[in-house]
Amino acid sequence: MALSRVCWTRAALWGSAVAPGPVVTRRLQLGRSGLAWEAFRSSKLHLSPKSDMKSLISYVVTKTKVINGKYHRFLGRHFPRFYVLYTIFMKGLQMFWADAKKARRIKTNMWKQSIKFHQLPYREMEHLRQFRQDVTKCLFLGIISIPPFANYLVFLLMYLFPRQLLIRHFWTPKQQIDFLDIYHALRKQSHSEIISYLERVIPLVSDAGLQWHLTELCTKIQNGTHPAVQDILTLRECFSNHPLGINQLQAWQMKALSRAMLLTPYLPPPLLRHRLKTHTTVIHQLDRALAKLGIGQLSAQEVKLACYLRGLNSTHIAEDRCRTWLGEWLQISCSLKETELSLLLHNVVLLSTNYLGTRR
């Protein structure tokens, strides 16, 4: 009996060692999985939080692009007309935001280097001038959208009156041409009024020779002849003092000149005079910077924009003619002193009225 018990005990011991029971097996599995989890957790602890954040951001960006692409395809398929407006609006926002960042960078460099506006390169000066004009136009929309629920009305007004309320970034290519034609037609309405005023003040000019030259210039323009640069520069003395100096202009003449410069004429005379002075001074500074840069360094679009700012409807004129006209303008502008800027102001009419290729 004792021997059999010993045999049975050995068999039990060897059996448990060879084939453990289910309880022992489960404990071994739990122990191994615990070790594996500890190893996995320790490996996770060694990962950098920055890499986790970058991977999360890249995942979100990728998903956003996918969803945005699906949304664009949906709009283009089901609402094609609205999709065109939506695309122009989104591109306009991106362009305006890029302009704002560039303007901020330019202003920061001006502050760091103690540089004034007239000391900037031409392209930076032009960018700041155009950005200020765009911001001024956007401020009106911001003001009228302040009341509650007025933003819905603002969107309707933007759709109905894009020329008056939106900047050029939000215009379609066709609208850009049409709106520039409309603006030029508005400013050209004041050309005859300005020439008539020049004829009326001829007797007030003290020098007889200048009287003759001014009469000849007005006659040429009324007969459809484009004046030469020297015909205009000869009269620079007339526009430095009475009666054509910028400080001696009458109120109705300043209103006509404001319309010719696409500035609002609905201001008191002192504000009109100050605004005309400021606007003409900025153009004079731009002209000097452009003369340093050289017209040949400008792209076709930059040349056309520069001509349009100075009174020429360049949307329907060939690029080479625009460059020729801009060269004539710079020749006049760079020859003038600050006291003769009234001639530069009138030059918007004198040099652009009968230029070849302009739309009548």
Side-chain angles (χ1 to χ4, degrees):
M1 291 294 293
L3 183 59
S4 63
R5 288 177 181 174
V6 171
C7 293
W8 279 108
T9 303
R10 288 181 179 178
L13 290 173
W14 282 105
S16 64
V18 174
V23 177
V24 178
T25 303
R26 182 61 178 169
R27 287 178 179 176
L28 287 174
Q29 290 176 351
L30 289 174
R32 290 170 184 171
S33 63
L35 292 174
W37 170 252
E38 289 294 333
F40 175 76
R41 189 171 62 179
S42 62
S43 65
K44 278 287 183 181
L45 290 174
H46 288 293
L47 288 177
S48 173
K50 292 183 179 180
S51 63
D52 289 346
M53 184 59 64
K54 288 181 179 178
S55 62
L56 178 62
I57 292 175
S58 63
Y59 174 78
V60 172
V61 170
T62 303
K63 286 295 184 182
T64 303
K65 288 182 178 179
V66 172
I67 296 173
N68 194 34
K70 292 181 179 179
Y71 179 64
H72 280 211
R73 288 191 294 271
F74 173 78
L75 289 180
R77 209 167 37 242
H78 297 281
F79 307 98
R81 296 183 63 182
F82 175 77
Y83 177 68
V84 172
L85 297 177
Y86 171 79
T87 304
I88 294 173
F89 183 76
M90 295 305 297
K91 288 182 178 179
L93 285 179
Q94 294 174 1
M95 294 169 66
F96 184 71
W97 179 246
D99 287 350
K101 291 194 293 186
K102 184 177 180 180
R104 182 181 179 183
R105 184 170 64 252
I106 295 172
K107 296 291 288 185
T108 303
N109 292 335
M110 290 175 61
W111 179 76
K112 288 182 179 179
Q113 302 175 13
S114 299
I115 296 176
K116 294 184 179 180
F117 176 78
H118 68 276
Q119 297 173 318
L120 291 172
Y122 169 76
R123 287 190 173 93
E124 293 185 357
M125 291 175 65
E126 174 60 23
H127 183 84
L128 285 183
R129 184 204 65 81
Q130 185 63 56
F131 182 72
R132 290 171 183 170
Q133 181 178 338
D134 293 342
V135 170
T136 303
K137 199 169 186 179
C138 292
L139 280 178
F140 176 73
L141 283 178
I143 293 174
I144 63 177
S145 61
I146 291 177
F149 305 105
N151 52 345
Y152 299 105
L153 177 62
V154 169
F155 282 115
L156 179 62
L157 293 176
M158 288 165 57
Y159 179 77
L160 296 177
F161 307 101
R163 178 176 63 86
Q164 293 86 350
L165 298 178
L166 298 179
I167 60 177
R168 68 195 191 285
H169 294 325
F170 302 97
W171 295 346
T172 64
K174 184 178 182 302
Q175 284 177 336
Q176 291 183 11
I177 297 176
D178 294 342
F179 292 168
L180 290 179
D181 284 342
I182 292 173
Y183 279 130
H184 184 72
L186 291 174
R187 66 183 178 185
K188 200 165 184 178
Q189 291 175 0
S190 61
H191 285 192
S192 59
E193 185 178 352
I194 294 171
I195 299 299
S196 299
Y197 176 79
L198 292 179
E199 286 185 317
R200 283 199 295 270
V201 301
I202 289 176
L204 301 178
V205 178
S206 58
D207 189 277
L210 293 178
Q211 286 185 3
W212 183 84
H213 282 294
L214 186 55
T215 304
E216 285 292 312
L217 180 63
C218 293
T219 302
K220 280 184 177 182
I221 294 176
Q222 289 176 338
N223 291 336
T225 304
H226 179 66
V229 172
Q230 195 57 39
D231 294 338
I232 297 175
L233 285 177
T234 305
L235 299 169
R236 55 195 298 178
E237 186 179 344
C238 291
F239 292 87
S240 60
N241 47 40
H242 184 77
L244 294 174
I246 199 167
N247 292 322
Q248 286 80 33
L249 294 175
Q250 299 296 321
W252 63 272
Q253 176 69 355
M254 289 190 295
K255 291 183 178 180
L257 289 169
S258 296
R259 290 193 297 270
M261 300 291 286
L262 293 179
L263 301 174
T264 177
Y266 307 109
L267 292 174
L271 291 181
L272 281 177
R273 195 182 311 276
H274 173 73
R275 195 170 188 191
L276 285 174
K277 280 184 179 180
T278 303
H279 193 73
T280 310
T281 302
V282 169
I283 292 179
H284 193 223
Q285 294 170 349
L286 282 169
D287 291 340
R288 291 183 174 180
L290 179 55
K292 292 180 181 178
L293 177 65
I295 299 177
Q297 301 297 320
L298 298 183
S299 64
Q301 183 180 6
E302 289 175 329
V303 169
K304 287 182 176 291
L305 289 176
C307 291
Y308 193 89
L309 173 66
R310 291 156 177 81
L312 184 69
N313 188 14
S314 54
T315 55
H316 304 282
I317 303 178
E319 179 188 346
D320 57 342
R321 289 188 173 182
C322 289
R323 292 184 185 274
T324 302
W325 185 90
L326 188 58
E328 294 179 1
W329 175 281
L330 291 182
Q331 189 177 350
I332 295 172
S333 178
C334 295
S335 302
L336 299 178
K337 302 176 183 178
E338 292 185 1
T339 56
E340 301 167 342
L341 290 184
S342 179
L343 178 57
L344 189 66
L345 182 60
H346 286 79
N347 200 38
V348 173
V349 179
L350 300 177
L351 198 64
S352 65
T353 301
N354 298 320
Y355 187 65
L356 297 176
T358 53
R359 174 179 285 188
R360 300 304 179 94

